[in-house]
Amino acid sequence: MNTIAKQIAACAVILSTSAVWAADDGLVVLDWSAYDDENFFLGYIEKHGDMPVFSMFGEEEEAFQKLRAGFKADLTHPCSQSVPKWREAGVIEPFDPSRIERWDDLNEIMREAFKYEDGYYLVPADWGTTTLTYRADLVEEAEMESLQVFLDPKYAGRTSIGDNVDDAYALAYLATGLDDWTKATDDDFRKASDWLRKAHQNVRAYWVDGAELAQLMGSGEVLFSWAWNETAVTMSADGFDVVSNREPVEGSSDWFCGYANVTNQANDEAKAYDFINAWMEPRSAKYLVNDWGYGHGNSAAMAELGEDVINAGLGEIDAPVLSQVPMDHALRENMIAEFEMIKAGF
Protein backbone atom coordinates (compact mmCIF):
# COMPACT_ATOMS: atom_id res chain seq x y z
CA MET A 1 0.00 0.00 0.00
CA ASN A 2 2.70 2.39 -1.08
CA THR A 3 1.05 4.45 -3.79
CA ILE A 4 -0.61 7.83 -3.80
CA ALA A 5 -3.77 6.23 -5.11
CA LYS A 6 -3.96 3.95 -2.11
CA GLN A 7 -3.29 6.79 0.29
CA ILE A 8 -6.15 8.73 -1.25
CA ALA A 9 -8.35 5.66 -0.87
CA ALA A 10 -7.35 5.39 2.77
CA CYS A 11 -8.70 8.87 3.42
CA ALA A 12 -12.20 7.66 2.54
CA VAL A 13 -12.45 6.29 6.10
CA ILE A 14 -13.34 2.59 5.64
CA LEU A 15 -14.68 2.55 2.11
CA SER A 16 -11.42 1.31 0.60
CA THR A 17 -11.49 -1.80 2.77
CA SER A 18 -15.21 -2.40 3.25
CA ALA A 19 -15.25 -4.91 0.42
CA VAL A 20 -12.91 -7.09 2.47
CA TRP A 21 -13.66 -6.24 6.09
CA ALA A 22 -16.92 -5.20 7.71
CA ALA A 23 -16.79 -2.34 10.19
CA ASP A 24 -16.65 -3.50 13.80
CA ASP A 25 -19.01 -1.24 15.71
CA GLY A 26 -17.55 -2.67 18.92
CA LEU A 27 -14.57 -0.30 18.66
CA VAL A 28 -14.51 3.34 17.55
CA VAL A 29 -11.18 5.05 16.88
CA LEU A 30 -10.92 8.83 16.44
CA ASP A 31 -7.78 9.09 14.33
CA TRP A 32 -5.70 11.11 11.88
CA SER A 33 -6.67 10.94 8.22
CA ALA A 34 -5.32 7.81 6.50
CA TYR A 35 -4.58 5.96 9.74
CA ASP A 36 -7.38 3.51 8.98
CA ASP A 37 -4.77 1.54 7.04
CA GLU A 38 -5.22 -2.10 8.07
CA ASN A 39 -1.47 -2.73 7.85
CA PHE A 40 -1.10 -0.93 11.17
CA PHE A 41 -3.35 -3.34 13.05
CA LEU A 42 -3.48 -6.64 11.18
CA GLY A 43 -3.44 -8.54 14.48
CA TYR A 44 -6.74 -6.91 15.43
CA ILE A 45 -8.36 -7.91 12.15
CA GLU A 46 -7.06 -11.46 12.45
CA LYS A 47 -8.55 -11.75 15.93
CA HIS A 48 -11.91 -10.09 15.31
CA GLY A 49 -12.41 -10.61 11.57
CA ASP A 50 -13.12 -6.97 10.86
CA MET A 51 -11.85 -3.41 11.24
CA PRO A 52 -12.81 -0.87 13.89
CA VAL A 53 -15.04 2.04 12.99
CA PHE A 54 -12.87 5.08 12.25
CA SER A 55 -13.75 8.74 12.52
CA MET A 56 -10.98 10.82 10.97
CA PHE A 57 -9.62 14.25 11.80
CA GLY A 58 -7.08 16.51 10.13
CA GLU A 59 -5.98 18.60 13.14
CA GLU A 60 -5.91 17.88 16.86
CA GLU A 61 -8.04 20.82 17.93
CA GLU A 62 -10.79 19.44 15.71
CA ALA A 63 -10.58 16.08 17.49
CA PHE A 64 -10.45 17.73 20.93
CA GLN A 65 -13.56 19.79 20.31
CA LYS A 66 -15.35 16.74 18.94
CA LEU A 67 -14.65 14.79 22.13
CA ARG A 68 -15.64 17.73 24.33
CA ALA A 69 -18.93 17.94 22.43
CA GLY A 70 -19.71 14.36 23.42
CA PHE A 71 -18.49 12.27 20.49
CA LYS A 72 -18.33 8.65 21.63
CA ALA A 73 -15.05 6.90 20.86
CA ASP A 74 -12.81 4.34 22.53
CA LEU A 75 -9.35 5.45 21.43
CA THR A 76 -7.87 8.58 19.92
CA HIS A 77 -4.48 9.67 18.57
CA PRO A 78 -3.13 12.96 20.01
CA CYS A 79 0.45 14.19 19.74
CA SER A 80 2.59 15.05 22.73
CA GLN A 81 1.87 18.76 22.88
CA SER A 82 -1.88 18.10 23.24
CA VAL A 83 -1.87 15.45 25.96
CA PRO A 84 -1.79 17.77 29.01
CA LYS A 85 -4.70 19.82 27.69
CA TRP A 86 -6.78 16.74 26.87
CA ARG A 87 -6.06 15.23 30.28
CA GLU A 88 -6.99 18.44 32.11
CA ALA A 89 -10.24 18.57 30.13
CA GLY A 90 -11.07 15.04 31.22
CA VAL A 91 -11.52 13.59 27.72
CA ILE A 92 -8.82 10.93 28.19
CA GLU A 93 -7.97 8.59 31.07
CA PRO A 94 -5.04 6.30 31.99
CA PHE A 95 -4.22 2.95 30.40
CA ASP A 96 -3.60 -0.27 32.30
CA PRO A 97 -0.01 -1.19 31.29
CA SER A 98 -0.54 -4.80 32.34
CA ARG A 99 -2.91 -5.21 29.36
CA ILE A 100 -0.36 -3.94 26.82
CA GLU A 101 1.68 -6.96 25.77
CA ARG A 102 4.82 -5.14 24.62
CA TRP A 103 4.81 -2.44 27.26
CA ASP A 104 8.46 -2.95 28.13
CA ASP A 105 9.43 -2.66 24.44
CA LEU A 106 7.97 0.82 24.07
CA ASN A 107 10.15 3.89 23.72
CA GLU A 108 10.90 4.62 27.37
CA ILE A 109 11.32 8.38 27.03
CA MET A 110 8.04 8.79 25.15
CA ARG A 111 6.20 6.32 27.39
CA GLU A 112 7.32 7.95 30.63
CA ALA A 113 6.74 11.50 29.38
CA PHE A 114 3.04 11.20 30.15
CA LYS A 115 3.10 9.24 33.37
CA TYR A 116 1.08 11.16 35.95
CA GLU A 117 0.25 10.28 39.54
CA ASP A 118 -2.84 8.41 38.39
CA GLY A 119 -1.19 6.49 35.53
CA TYR A 120 0.01 6.50 31.93
CA TYR A 121 -1.92 8.63 29.44
CA LEU A 122 -0.22 7.90 26.12
CA VAL A 123 1.00 4.78 24.33
CA PRO A 124 3.69 6.06 21.89
CA ALA A 125 2.79 5.00 18.35
CA ASP A 126 4.56 7.15 15.75
CA TRP A 127 7.17 9.87 15.53
CA GLY A 128 8.91 11.83 12.85
CA THR A 129 9.82 15.24 11.49
CA THR A 130 8.24 18.13 9.68
CA THR A 131 10.64 19.49 7.08
CA LEU A 132 11.08 21.56 3.95
CA THR A 133 9.99 19.15 1.20
CA TYR A 134 10.22 20.00 -2.48
CA ARG A 135 10.03 18.91 -6.13
CA ALA A 136 13.73 18.68 -6.97
CA ASP A 137 12.92 18.56 -10.67
CA LEU A 138 11.03 21.85 -10.56
CA VAL A 139 13.05 24.12 -8.25
CA GLU A 140 16.66 25.08 -7.74
CA GLU A 141 17.94 23.03 -4.84
CA ALA A 142 20.19 25.88 -3.68
CA GLU A 143 17.04 27.87 -2.93
CA MET A 144 15.80 25.13 -0.60
CA GLU A 145 18.53 25.71 1.97
CA SER A 146 16.58 28.28 3.97
CA LEU A 147 13.02 28.48 5.31
CA GLN A 148 12.91 32.07 4.07
CA VAL A 149 12.08 30.64 0.66
CA PHE A 150 8.48 30.50 1.90
CA LEU A 151 8.49 34.32 1.68
CA ASP A 152 9.98 34.62 -1.83
CA PRO A 153 7.38 36.43 -3.99
CA LYS A 154 8.36 34.45 -7.08
CA TYR A 155 6.70 31.42 -5.44
CA ALA A 156 3.34 33.13 -4.94
CA GLY A 157 0.63 30.48 -5.09
CA ARG A 158 3.15 27.63 -5.31
CA THR A 159 3.77 26.75 -1.62
CA SER A 160 1.89 24.81 1.03
CA ILE A 161 1.83 24.56 4.82
CA GLY A 162 -0.09 22.02 6.88
CA ASP A 163 -3.46 23.04 8.28
CA ASN A 164 -2.02 22.29 11.70
CA VAL A 165 -1.27 24.98 14.24
CA ASP A 166 1.68 23.16 15.81
CA ASP A 167 3.46 22.47 12.53
CA ALA A 168 2.76 25.97 11.24
CA TYR A 169 4.15 27.68 14.31
CA ALA A 170 7.10 25.27 14.49
CA LEU A 171 7.99 26.54 11.02
CA ALA A 172 7.47 30.17 11.98
CA TYR A 173 9.43 29.98 15.23
CA LEU A 174 12.36 28.31 13.48
CA ALA A 175 12.24 30.86 10.66
CA THR A 176 12.41 33.69 13.19
CA GLY A 177 15.28 32.20 15.17
CA LEU A 178 13.65 30.20 17.99
CA ASP A 179 14.13 26.44 18.31
CA ASP A 180 12.50 25.91 21.73
CA TRP A 181 8.93 27.08 21.92
CA THR A 182 8.72 26.39 25.66
CA LYS A 183 10.85 29.55 26.00
CA ALA A 184 8.75 31.67 23.64
CA THR A 185 7.97 35.20 24.81
CA ASP A 186 5.12 37.42 23.66
CA ASP A 187 7.60 39.08 21.31
CA ASP A 188 8.63 35.70 19.87
CA PHE A 189 4.97 34.86 19.29
CA ARG A 190 4.40 38.21 17.54
CA LYS A 191 7.43 37.72 15.29
CA ALA A 192 6.34 34.18 14.38
CA SER A 193 2.79 35.34 13.63
CA ASP A 194 4.04 38.19 11.46
CA TRP A 195 6.25 35.75 9.56
CA LEU A 196 3.32 33.38 8.98
CA ARG A 197 1.23 36.27 7.63
CA LYS A 198 3.92 36.96 5.07
CA ALA A 199 4.23 33.27 4.20
CA HIS A 200 0.44 33.11 3.79
CA GLN A 201 0.71 35.33 0.72
CA ASN A 202 2.43 32.50 -1.18
CA VAL A 203 0.31 29.58 0.07
CA ARG A 204 -1.64 27.69 -2.56
CA ALA A 205 -3.39 25.54 0.05
CA TYR A 206 -3.11 24.46 3.66
CA TRP A 207 -2.94 20.69 3.32
CA VAL A 208 -4.88 18.47 5.71
CA ASP A 209 -3.24 15.10 5.09
CA GLY A 210 -0.48 13.46 3.09
CA ALA A 211 -2.78 12.41 0.29
CA GLU A 212 -3.92 15.98 -0.34
CA LEU A 213 -0.36 17.27 -0.33
CA ALA A 214 0.75 14.48 -2.67
CA GLN A 215 -1.93 15.55 -5.14
CA LEU A 216 -0.85 19.19 -4.94
CA MET A 217 2.83 18.38 -5.41
CA GLY A 218 2.25 15.63 -7.93
CA SER A 219 0.33 18.00 -10.22
CA GLY A 220 3.05 20.64 -9.89
CA GLU A 221 0.65 23.17 -8.35
CA VAL A 222 2.80 23.20 -5.23
CA LEU A 223 6.57 23.22 -5.63
CA PHE A 224 7.53 22.91 -1.97
CA SER A 225 5.90 22.51 1.39
CA TRP A 226 6.43 22.17 5.12
CA ALA A 227 5.64 18.47 5.28
CA TRP A 228 5.79 15.25 7.30
CA ASN A 229 8.17 12.39 6.48
CA GLU A 230 5.61 10.44 4.53
CA THR A 231 5.42 12.88 1.60
CA ALA A 232 8.96 12.33 0.37
CA VAL A 233 8.81 8.58 1.05
CA THR A 234 5.52 7.84 -0.69
CA MET A 235 5.97 10.26 -3.59
CA SER A 236 9.48 8.99 -4.30
CA ALA A 237 8.10 5.46 -4.38
CA ASP A 238 5.59 6.67 -6.97
CA GLY A 239 8.32 8.04 -9.22
CA PHE A 240 8.35 11.72 -8.27
CA ASP A 241 11.62 13.52 -7.61
CA VAL A 242 10.62 14.73 -4.15
CA VAL A 243 13.25 15.54 -1.54
CA SER A 244 12.91 16.21 2.17
CA ASN A 245 15.55 18.59 3.50
CA ARG A 246 15.87 18.05 7.24
CA GLU A 247 18.79 20.47 7.45
CA PRO A 248 17.81 23.91 6.21
CA VAL A 249 19.80 26.69 7.87
CA GLU A 250 17.08 27.42 10.42
CA GLY A 251 16.31 23.75 11.13
CA SER A 252 13.33 21.39 11.16
CA SER A 253 10.82 20.13 13.70
CA ASP A 254 10.22 16.76 15.33
CA TRP A 255 7.13 15.31 16.99
CA PHE A 256 5.69 12.16 18.47
CA CYS A 257 2.14 10.95 18.81
CA GLY A 258 0.36 8.02 20.37
CA TYR A 259 -2.92 6.44 21.34
CA ALA A 260 -4.95 7.71 24.27
CA ASN A 261 -7.77 6.04 26.17
CA VAL A 262 -10.98 8.03 25.77
CA THR A 263 -12.85 8.64 29.03
CA ASN A 264 -16.07 6.63 29.40
CA GLN A 265 -15.34 4.46 26.39
CA ALA A 266 -18.20 3.81 24.03
CA ASN A 267 -17.65 0.06 23.63
CA ASP A 268 -15.71 -3.02 24.71
CA GLU A 269 -12.51 -1.99 26.50
CA ALA A 270 -10.88 -5.34 25.67
CA LYS A 271 -11.03 -4.50 21.98
CA ALA A 272 -9.25 -1.21 22.61
CA TYR A 273 -6.33 -3.13 24.10
CA ASP A 274 -6.42 -5.61 21.22
CA PHE A 275 -6.04 -2.66 18.85
CA ILE A 276 -3.13 -1.22 20.82
CA ASN A 277 -1.42 -4.61 20.99
CA ALA A 278 -1.80 -5.06 17.22
CA TRP A 279 -0.30 -1.60 16.60
CA MET A 280 2.72 -2.49 18.73
CA GLU A 281 3.60 -5.63 16.74
CA PRO A 282 6.97 -5.65 14.90
CA ARG A 283 5.24 -6.04 11.52
CA SER A 284 3.35 -2.80 12.16
CA ALA A 285 6.62 -1.05 12.98
CA LYS A 286 8.24 -2.36 9.81
CA TYR A 287 5.35 -1.12 7.69
CA LEU A 288 5.29 2.31 9.34
CA VAL A 289 9.03 2.83 8.83
CA ASN A 290 9.39 1.38 5.33
CA ASP A 291 6.17 2.61 3.72
CA TRP A 292 5.47 5.84 5.58
CA GLY A 293 8.94 6.95 6.69
CA TYR A 294 7.93 7.42 10.33
CA GLY A 295 9.46 6.02 13.49
CA HIS A 296 7.47 3.58 15.62
CA GLY A 297 6.80 3.61 19.35
CA ASN A 298 8.08 0.05 19.76
CA SER A 299 11.81 0.67 20.25
CA ALA A 300 12.67 -3.03 20.27
CA ALA A 301 11.01 -3.50 16.87
CA MET A 302 12.77 -0.39 15.56
CA ALA A 303 16.14 -1.78 16.64
CA GLU A 304 15.47 -4.96 14.66
CA LEU A 305 15.15 -2.89 11.49
CA GLY A 306 18.77 -1.78 11.74
CA GLU A 307 20.50 1.59 11.91
CA ASP A 308 20.76 1.99 8.13
CA VAL A 309 16.99 1.91 7.75
CA ILE A 310 16.33 4.25 10.64
CA ASN A 311 19.05 6.76 9.80
CA ALA A 312 17.84 7.05 6.20
CA GLY A 313 15.18 9.55 7.25
CA LEU A 314 15.10 9.62 11.03
CA GLY A 315 18.71 9.90 12.19
CA GLU A 316 20.54 12.80 13.81
CA ILE A 317 20.91 16.01 11.82
CA ASP A 318 23.36 18.90 11.86
CA ALA A 319 20.80 21.68 12.19
CA PRO A 320 18.51 23.14 14.87
CA VAL A 321 15.50 21.02 15.83
CA LEU A 322 12.33 22.36 17.39
CA SER A 323 10.67 19.56 19.35
CA GLN A 324 6.89 19.77 19.50
CA VAL A 325 6.66 19.17 23.24
CA PRO A 326 3.96 20.54 25.56
CA MET A 327 4.11 24.30 25.92
CA ASP A 328 2.46 27.02 27.95
CA HIS A 329 -1.29 26.46 27.66
CA ALA A 330 -2.16 30.14 27.17
CA LEU A 331 0.45 30.49 24.42
CA ARG A 332 -0.94 27.53 22.50
CA GLU A 333 -4.48 28.89 22.75
CA ASN A 334 -3.20 32.19 21.34
CA MET A 335 -1.49 30.29 18.52
CA ILE A 336 -4.74 28.50 17.68
CA ALA A 337 -6.72 31.73 17.52
CA GLU A 338 -4.04 33.60 15.57
CA PHE A 339 -3.56 30.81 13.03
CA GLU A 340 -7.26 30.90 12.18
CA MET A 341 -6.99 34.63 11.58
CA ILE A 342 -3.90 34.21 9.39
CA LYS A 343 -5.55 31.53 7.24
CA ALA A 344 -8.55 33.82 6.79
CA GLY A 345 -6.27 36.57 5.52
CA PHE A 346 -6.37 38.86 8.55
Side-chain angles (χ1 to χ4, degrees):
M1 193 162 181
N2 195 27
T3 66
I4 292 174
K6 288 185 178 179
Q7 278 208 334
I8 294 170
C11 292
V13 191
I14 305 171
L15 296 181
S16 65
T17 53
S18 60
V20 180
W21 310 109
D24 177 10
D25 59 6
L27 182 68
V28 177
V29 183
L30 180 60
D31 216 328
W32 291 92
S33 295
Y35 273 78
D36 56 342
D37 184 334
E38 69 263 25
N39 291 288
F40 291 139
F41 45 87
L42 288 171
Y44 181 93
I45 295 174
E46 291 164 359
K47 181 171 184 177
H48 296 287
D50 47 28
M51 289 180 59
V53 169
F54 280 90
S55 177
M56 315 311 273
F57 62 84
E59 205 276 330
E60 288 165 274
E61 188 65 16
E62 171 193 348
F64 175 70
Q65 295 300 337
K66 193 169 184 176
L67 289 171
R68 289 194 67 187
F71 179 78
K72 297 299 183 182
D74 301 291
L75 294 170
T76 189
H77 194 165
C79 296
S80 62
Q81 64 272 12
S82 296
V83 175
K85 174 181 175 179
W86 292 29
R87 176 179 178 268
E88 290 170 11
V91 299
I92 57 176
E93 62 186 13
F95 282 106
D96 178 356
S98 69
R99 301 179 72 176
I100 299 174
E101 296 168 359
R102 293 178 172 81
W103 182 257
D104 291 338
D105 292 340
L106 301 184
N107 184 296
E108 185 176 3
I109 294 175
M110 297 177 185
R111 184 190 68 202
E112 298 297 316
F114 296 104
K115 179 184 179 182
Y116 293 89
E117 62 278 1
D118 57 338
Y120 290 90
Y121 275 80
L122 193 73
V123 175
D126 51 337
W127 53 272
T129 57
T130 311
T131 66
L132 175 54
T133 302
Y134 57 91
R135 285 284 301 267
D137 56 331
L138 299 178
V139 299
E140 294 293 330
E141 295 196 49
E143 295 184 332
M144 300 295 118
E145 295 179 357
S146 170
L147 300 181
Q148 305 310 322
V149 71
F150 281 94
L151 306 186
D152 191 331
K154 83 175 186 178
Y155 290 116
R158 307 301 299 277
T159 75
S160 187
I161 297 172
D163 191 3
N164 179 306
V165 65
D166 298 303
D167 279 326
Y169 268 92
L171 167 63
Y173 281 126
L174 283 166
T176 52
L178 183 72
D179 62 10
D180 182 352
W181 63 17
T182 67
K183 298 178 180 179
T185 64
D186 288 342
D187 188 51
D188 292 324
F189 170 64
R190 179 187 58 76
K191 289 178 181 177
S193 299
D194 289 346
W195 190 93
L196 275 179
R197 281 191 168 82
K198 294 175 183 176
H200 172 78
Q201 305 304 313
N202 287 347
V203 170
R204 173 77 171 188
Y206 290 91
W207 57 267
V208 174
D209 55 45
E212 179 183 4
L213 180 56
Q215 286 181 306
L216 289 167
M217 295 189 72
S219 68
E221 294 176 75
V222 165
L223 300 179
F224 57 88
S225 178
W226 187 239
W228 300 329
N229 302 53
E230 72 174 270
T231 298
V233 173
T234 57
M235 293 194 70
S236 294
D238 285 312
F240 292 97
D241 190 4
V242 175
V243 174
S244 177
N245 179 12
R246 298 177 63 215
E247 298 182 315
V249 174
E250 300 88 348
S252 57
S253 179
D254 63 18
W255 47 264
F256 81 86
C257 309
Y259 281 96
N261 199 8
V262 177
T263 304
N264 299 321
Q265 289 182 332
N267 298 291
D268 185 356
E269 187 176 40
K271 286 188 174 182
Y273 284 99
D274 288 342
F275 180 87
I276 294 293
N277 287 327
W279 238 97
M280 294 303 122
E281 292 180 9
R283 58 179 164 172
S284 299
K286 182 177 180 180
Y287 177 71
L288 181 66
V289 173
N290 289 337
D291 287 60
W292 286 56
Y294 296 148
H296 194 275
N298 184 335
S299 289
M302 288 287 290
E304 292 177 4
L305 296 175
E307 291 186 7
D308 290 344
V309 173
I310 296 171
N311 289 337
L314 298 167
E316 297 292 328
I317 63 172
D318 186 21
V321 175
L322 186 152
S323 294
Q324 295 186 29
V325 297
M327 66 174 71
D328 178 76
H329 177 71
L331 173 61
R332 190 164 187 274
E333 291 302 306
N334 286 339
M335 285 163 46
I336 291 170
E338 195 72 6
F339 189 44
E340 292 303 313
M341 294 285 287
I342 291 168
K343 289 188 295 180
F346 297 107

